[in-house]
């Protein structure tokens, strides 16, 4: 089967609706940050999916079904067997390709980043699933363009899966500790500049991991058109920090391993394949007093 692009347009997807080899997945999750600050509230997008979605789409519940229920941290990767079982029940596996979309990063915030879709894509890649694309602009762009919607739940045949886990895509706390003083590793903080500087209180401690560089997850797409910038514009901030150097490894992190997957996907799109996501991110790091943070 031909490899599909990492990012596909709404035109591209609509032309292929009904393709028996395609699986469409709605990965919508809602994160709401109060104006007063503090820890964000997160809730499932399943009720929204049941109201309307792209024809053929099934719903993947990152919050309730595709995170590790035994972990003290939210949104950590679940056991491999659990994840594969859920994916194959949705009809995703060998012999198909998958297009994932969501409804945006943050409730009430115009920033454009399909990081819930990229989170599912990263988990799939980690477990060895291939041929995955993210829908550029997601459901908001699709709706603005007047494309078809339905309330009828998607349904694909039970799938089988034979891929192998790719452990190199996941970074642990120990990997990040070792990377702080390693010139061959680029640490990228994907959060807002305010989070990076320690001006918010969303995490147990303020600041960023020493030696890490801030490339904001919301800086890669146009808020008006909802389209991702072209590759030349995307490359600029990453080239400045050396993240596209083929001789270096990149580790991305954020608050809970969500926005970091968006950064990872864009780096992959630009040709940097040696990228790992710190799954625990600041939820784990900032909870451990022995792990250093800085606001400098």
């Amino acid at each position: 089967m031909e490899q599909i692009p990492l990012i596909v347009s709404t035109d591209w997807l609509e032309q292929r609706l009904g393709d028996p080899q395609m699986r469409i997945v709605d990965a919508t999750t809602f994160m709401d940050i109060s104006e007063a600050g503090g820890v964000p509230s997160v809730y499932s997008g399943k009720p929204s999916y049941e109201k309307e979605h792209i024809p053929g789409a099934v719903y993947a519940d990152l919050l309730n079904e595709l995170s590790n229920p035994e972990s003290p941290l939210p949104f950590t990767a679940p056991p491999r067997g659990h994840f594969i079982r859920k994916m194959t029940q949705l009809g995703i596996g060998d012999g198909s390709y998958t297009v994932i979309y969501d409804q945006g990063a943050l409730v009430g915030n115009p920033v454009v980043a399909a990081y819930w879709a990229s989170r599912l894509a990263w988990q799939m890649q980690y477990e060895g699933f291939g041929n995955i694309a993210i829908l550029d602009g997601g459901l908001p762009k699709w709706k603005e363009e007047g494309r078809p919607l339905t309330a009828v739940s998607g349904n694909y045949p039970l799938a089988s899966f034979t891929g192998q886990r790719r452990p190199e895509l996941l970074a642990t706390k120990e990997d990040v500790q070792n990377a702080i003083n390693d010139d061959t590793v680029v640490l990228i903080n994907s959060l807002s500049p305010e989070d990076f500087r320690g001006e918010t209180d969303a995490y147990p401690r303020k600041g960023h991991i020493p030696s890490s560089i801030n490339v904001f997850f919301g800086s890669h797409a146009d808020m008006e058109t909802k389209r991702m910038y072209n590759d030349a514009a995307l490359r600029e901030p990453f080239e400045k920090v050396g993240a596209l150097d083929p001789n270096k490894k990149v580790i991305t992190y954020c608050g809970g391993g969500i926005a970091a997957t968006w950064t990872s996907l864009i780096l992959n799109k630009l040709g940097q394949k040696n990228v790992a996501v710190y799954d625990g991110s600041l939820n784990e790091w900032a909870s451990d007093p022995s792990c250093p943070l800085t606001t400098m």
Side-chain angles (χ1 to χ4, degrees), residues 163-233:
Q164 301 299 310
R165 173 172 276 187
R166 299 175 61 194
E168 72 277 9
L169 299 187
L170 183 145
T172 64
K173 181 169 68 175
E174 291 70 29
D175 292 329
V176 176
Q177 289 169 331
N178 293 333
I180 289 174
N181 296 308
D182 187 343
D183 291 339
T184 68
V185 182
V186 179
L187 277 173
I188 295 182
N189 176 306
S190 301
L191 294 171
S192 71
E194 293 78 14
D195 287 322
F196 184 78
R197 294 191 297 262
E199 297 169 1
T200 62
D201 57 358
Y203 307 103
R205 291 185 293 137
K206 297 178 185 292
H208 57 271
I209 298 171
S211 84
S212 66
I213 302 156
N214 187 214
V215 181
F216 176 42
F217 74 83
S219 62
H220 308 303
D222 187 301
M223 288 191 288
E224 291 188 6
T225 67
K226 298 179 174 59
R227 290 186 62 185
M228 182 179 285
Y229 294 132
N230 62 35
D231 283 2

Side-chain angles (χ1 to χ4, degrees), residues 14-285:
E14 186 172 11
Q15 290 169 10
R16 289 164 177 79
L17 290 181
D19 182 343
Q21 291 186 310
M22 181 168 65
R23 305 291 182 259
I24 307 173
V25 183
D26 186 325
T28 297
T29 307
F30 293 111
M31 180 179 288
D32 197 348
I33 300 177
S34 167
E35 290 184 6
V39 179
S41 61
V42 183
Y43 47 99
S44 172
K46 189 170 185 179
S48 179
Y49 163 83
E50 291 172 342
K51 180 181 177 182
E52 60 179 10
H53 51 266
I54 295 173
V58 293
Y59 182 71
D61 197 332
L62 286 165
L63 179 62
N64 296 311
E65 296 184 355
L66 295 172
S67 297
N68 187 352
E70 304 299 322
S71 173
L73 304 171
F75 295 110
T76 49
R80 175 175 169 80
H82 172 89
F83 185 81
I84 291 173
R85 183 169 62 255
K86 292 293 183 182
M87 288 292 99
T88 53
Q89 286 172 351
L90 290 176
I92 299 166
D94 299 339
S96 63
Y97 66 95
T98 306
V99 178
I100 312 171
Y101 71 90
D102 61 30
Q103 291 190 46
L106 298 165
V107 174
N109 190 314
V111 67
V112 177
Y115 67 33
W116 299 107
S118 66
R119 172 67 194 189
L120 178 59
W122 175 79
Q123 287 186 226
M124 291 175 66
Q125 290 166 336
Y126 174 56
E127 299 299 357
F129 290 81
N131 228 2
I132 305 163
I134 304 297
L135 179 63
D136 193 13
L139 193 63
K141 188 172 187 291
W142 183 273
K143 289 174 65 174
E144 281 185 6
E145 295 167 350
R147 299 181 190 273
L149 295 165
T150 185
V152 178
S153 296
N155 183 33
Y156 300 117
L158 181 69
S160 60
F161 178 67
T162 56
Q164 301 299 310
R165 173 172 276 187
R166 299 175 61 194
E168 72 277 9
L169 299 187
L170 183 145
T172 64
K173 181 169 68 175
E174 291 70 29
D175 292 329
V176 176
Q177 289 169 331
N178 293 333
I180 289 174
N181 296 308
D182 187 343
D183 291 339
T184 68
V185 182
V186 179
L187 277 173
I188 295 182
N189 176 306
S190 301
L191 294 171
S192 71
E194 293 78 14
D195 287 322
F196 184 78
R197 294 191 297 262
E199 297 169 1
T200 62
D201 57 358
Y203 307 103
R205 291 185 293 137
K206 297 178 185 292
H208 57 271
I209 298 171
S211 84
S212 66
I213 302 156
N214 187 214
V215 181
F216 176 42
F217 74 83
S219 62
H220 308 303
D222 187 301
M223 288 191 288
E224 291 188 6
T225 67
K226 298 179 174 59
R227 290 186 62 185
M228 182 179 285
Y229 294 132
N230 62 35
D231 283 2
L234 291 174
R235 294 181 69 87
E236 187 175 348
F238 294 113
E239 284 181 332
K240 284 181 179 178
V241 301
L244 298 181
D245 185 337
N247 297 313
K248 292 191 175 184
K249 179 182 180 68
V250 182
I251 296 176
T252 65
Y253 76 95
C254 54
I258 308 298
T261 64
W262 183 235
T263 304
S264 173
L265 182 132
I266 292 171
L267 285 165
N268 290 165
K269 181 179 188 293
L270 296 174
Q272 175 58 280
K273 304 303 182 185
N274 194 6
V275 186
V277 170
Y278 176 23
D279 198 26
S281 283
L282 285 182
N283 282 333
E284 178 180 54
W285 188 272

